[in-house]
Amino acid sequence: MKHGGKLAALAAGLGLSLILSAPAMAQQKPAEIKVGITTFTSGAASVFGVPGKQAAEMLAERINKKGGIQGVPLKLYFIDEGAGAETLTAEYRRLVESEKVDVTMAAISSGNCVNLTPLAEDLKVLNLMWDCGTQRIFEEGEHRYNYRTQANATPEMMAALLYLLKTKPDFKTIAVVNQDYAWGRDSWQLFSAALKKLKPDVQVVAELFPKLGAPDFSAEISRLLAARPDVILSTSWGGDLDTLVRQANQRGLFRMSTFVLPLAESSLQRLAGELPDGVIVGARGDHYFLHPEYKDDADFKSFVEEFKQRTGAYPIYPAFHMAQAFAALEAAYDKAAAANGGAFPDKEKVVDAMDGLKFRGYGRPITIRPDNQGLEAQLIGVTRTTGDHPFPIIDDMMIFDAEAIMAPSGGKSLEWIEGLGAGFIETPAKEYKHGK
């Protein structure tokens, strides 16, 4: 009887210990998933950053209405990139260390991404690079906590160059007017290196780099009028691009040169009739509210219509980029939970799930490569006035697959470009006419 009592007590204690240890074996669901997002809500770039913020708020509401991610609602925190690098860095650190955000989405500015990605690594917080384009981040070092949920500058510039070479092959001179910071310099370096390989006889007649946020481009436009280039490239964006287009149009620059504006999808609605027909424009991915492959898709139409109803404008590519980041966030938590036996995953398991992740926002599906870089198709075309909208639409579109127009995983873009042959010009693209 005495020994039987000891055995019963031992069994009861063992059962209790197993019950008590269960929470340690599975992450308990938190009250909320905290997401810190950097975007421009002030300054000239806010015309670009605010739609990204509006999309994030709309997407979080949609996710929360259907029960959250793995049953946990999202709570968003925003940091204004327009406040400057020092404030941005301090606020980013505060969100991670004091607010205990679970994931960050940073940033729009390539310069800010260059500054914040090492900090994310130090703080061991998952960071989804939701919009910045510089290719240098993953080409110059390995990362565990940083992932890009869209393309980098390389496929974006290659798509623009290929479109130019396929549709306007006889140009002999080119000029560039780009913002003077990481994105402006990097994008021109990529474009010009590839141009030199594919069409080495083209002469560069002007390289102009006004400061980021410049309010006036009179000097640059005067130099371009004097140089008379056949082609003018500008990878500028936001308020800078809007101002450049308006001032260039007023002085007749568009009548003299073919413009290539790889980021101008985001400015079509704001510029309206000030952007002439025949300008080559890109969407930094396959992002367009009239996407020829998805415009009739129910989910796509719902997103576009709700965004238009809430904001008064159609979504532009920062909104679509934000949608991709949220799609990646959902997919990563779902994948991590599945790998965790259905239990809510801890932060490190969510980071693990990012490797090879497949997800889709409102364009073609995205895959995260082994170097943490997303593979994103590229849509590019020309402006055309149709009367369907009070602004030009994109016509004569081409959509390029990502893998064909960028360096392989682990490769360096400039070295890959150096190895391009003449056959690269024949890279295939799917072609679409507006409305068809």
Side-chain angles (χ1 to χ4, degrees):
M1 191 73 179
K2 186 175 179 181
H3 292 295
K6 285 183 178 180
L7 289 172
L10 179 62
L14 180 60
L16 180 62
S17 71
L18 288 172
I19 293 171
L20 290 174
S21 67
M25 296 168 64
Q27 170 80 9
Q28 296 301 290
K29 285 187 177 181
E32 54 203 6
I33 297 173
K34 298 180 178 182
V35 184
I37 301 172
T38 75
T39 186
F40 284 93
T41 56
S42 65
S46 63
V47 297
F48 183 95
V50 169
K53 179 176 184 289
Q54 292 168 330
E57 292 168 335
M58 189 179 102
L59 292 160
E61 286 180 22
R62 284 182 156 204
I63 290 169
N64 289 344
K65 282 181 181 177
K66 66 179 184 181
I69 294 178
Q70 290 292 309
V72 180
L74 300 179
K75 182 177 181 179
L76 307 186
Y77 300 77
F78 292 97
I79 309 174
D80 180 14
E81 293 187 46
E86 186 175 341
T87 299
L88 174 64
T89 301
E91 281 298 292
Y92 185 92
R93 181 180 289 277
R94 183 188 68 79
L95 282 189
V96 177
E97 294 183 334
S98 299
E99 298 292 347
K100 307 296 183 185
V101 296
D102 300 287
V103 60
T104 61
M105 297 180 180
I108 285 182
S109 164
S110 288
N112 289 337
C113 270
V114 170
N115 292 333
L116 291 178
T117 47
L119 182 57
E121 294 293 322
D122 290 343
L123 297 174
K124 294 181 169 56
V125 62
L126 174 62
N127 179 47
L128 304 182
M129 296 158 58
W130 72 275
D131 189 73
C132 65
T134 179
Q135 79 287 356
R136 289 161 40 203
I137 291 171
F138 294 139
E139 293 187 4
E140 295 179 358
E142 294 185 0
H143 296 260
R144 168 160 171 77
Y145 295 95
N146 289 283
Y147 292 81
R148 184 183 268 123
T149 53
Q150 36 91 34
N152 63 28
T154 305
E156 294 166 1
M157 292 305 101
M158 296 306 101
L161 177 58
L162 284 170
Y163 192 94
L164 175 64
L165 293 172
K166 287 173 182 287
T167 61
K168 301 277 186 178
D170 297 328
F171 67 99
K172 300 185 184 304
T173 57
I174 190 170
V176 61
V177 52
N178 276 3
Q179 295 150 315
D180 190 11
Y181 79 116
W183 165 256
R185 296 282 180 173
D186 290 349
S187 57
W188 171 238
Q189 185 180 34
L190 293 166
F191 189 100
S192 59
L195 177 62
K196 186 176 181 180
K197 287 292 296 184
L198 300 175
K199 197 172 173 61
D201 57 327
V202 172
Q203 181 184 1
V204 178
V205 296
E207 295 178 288
L208 309 176
F209 293 92
K211 69 178 182 179
L212 183 64
D216 182 73
F217 297 92
S218 297
E220 288 80 11
I221 293 169
S222 293
R223 289 188 60 183
L224 292 170
L225 286 167
R228 302 185 65 81
D230 296 327
V231 173
I232 296 173
L233 170 74
S234 181
T235 66
S236 298
W237 52 276
D240 291 23
L241 177 60
D242 295 357
T243 301
L244 173 64
V245 167
R246 290 188 178 110
Q247 293 179 0
N249 194 31
Q250 289 166 3
R251 296 181 62 182
L253 197 53
F254 283 91
R255 293 192 297 271
M256 185 186 74
S257 305
T258 295
F259 270 72
V260 180
L261 306 176
L263 283 72
E265 177 275 341
S266 61
S267 293
L268 293 176
Q269 296 172 70
R270 294 192 305 272
L271 289 169
E274 295 179 279
L275 186 62
D277 286 2
V279 175
I280 297 173
V281 297
R284 287 201 63 216
D286 61 324
H287 308 304
Y288 183 37
F289 80 97
L290 294 173
H291 194 302
E293 296 174 349
Y294 294 106
K295 58 184 171 59
D296 296 323
D297 175 80
D299 289 341
F300 183 91
K301 289 172 67 175
S302 173
F303 175 75
V304 170
E305 289 168 3
E306 183 179 349
F307 190 91
K308 177 71 159 59
Q309 184 178 29
R310 290 170 64 121
T311 69
Y314 293 104
I316 57 177
Y317 78 72
F320 287 109
H321 274 173
M322 189 63 77
Q324 286 181 176
F326 273 79
L329 184 65
E330 285 191 273
Y333 269 90
D334 290 347
K335 180 181 174 183
N340 200 37
F344 193 84
D346 62 28
K347 294 180 183 180
E348 291 298 320
K349 286 184 172 63
V350 177
V351 175
D352 292 340
M354 288 298 301
D355 290 340
L357 189 71
K358 298 180 186 296
F359 57 95
R360 180 177 165 261
Y362 294 102
R364 289 184 179 180
I366 309 289
T367 299
I368 299 294
R369 303 192 311 187
D371 60 357
N372 298 8
Q373 171 62 55
L375 290 169
E376 179 186 52
Q378 298 296 315
L379 181 152
I380 193 156
V382 294
T383 52
R384 188 88 67 222
T385 301
T386 64
D388 296 337
H389 298 280
F391 51 85
I393 53 84
I394 305 176
D395 202 0
D396 297 335
M397 292 169 277
M398 296 183 187
I399 302 181
F400 293 89
D401 289 334
E403 287 181 288
I405 56 173
M406 66 188 301
S409 180
K412 295 186 182 299
S413 292
L414 290 174
E415 293 176 1
W416 171 77
I417 288 171
E418 185 60 31
L420 293 179
F424 184 69
I425 299 175
E426 305 305 320
T427 300
K430 198 153 187 183
E431 299 185 24
Y432 296 93
K433 296 286 291 185
H434 170 66
K436 297 181 180 179

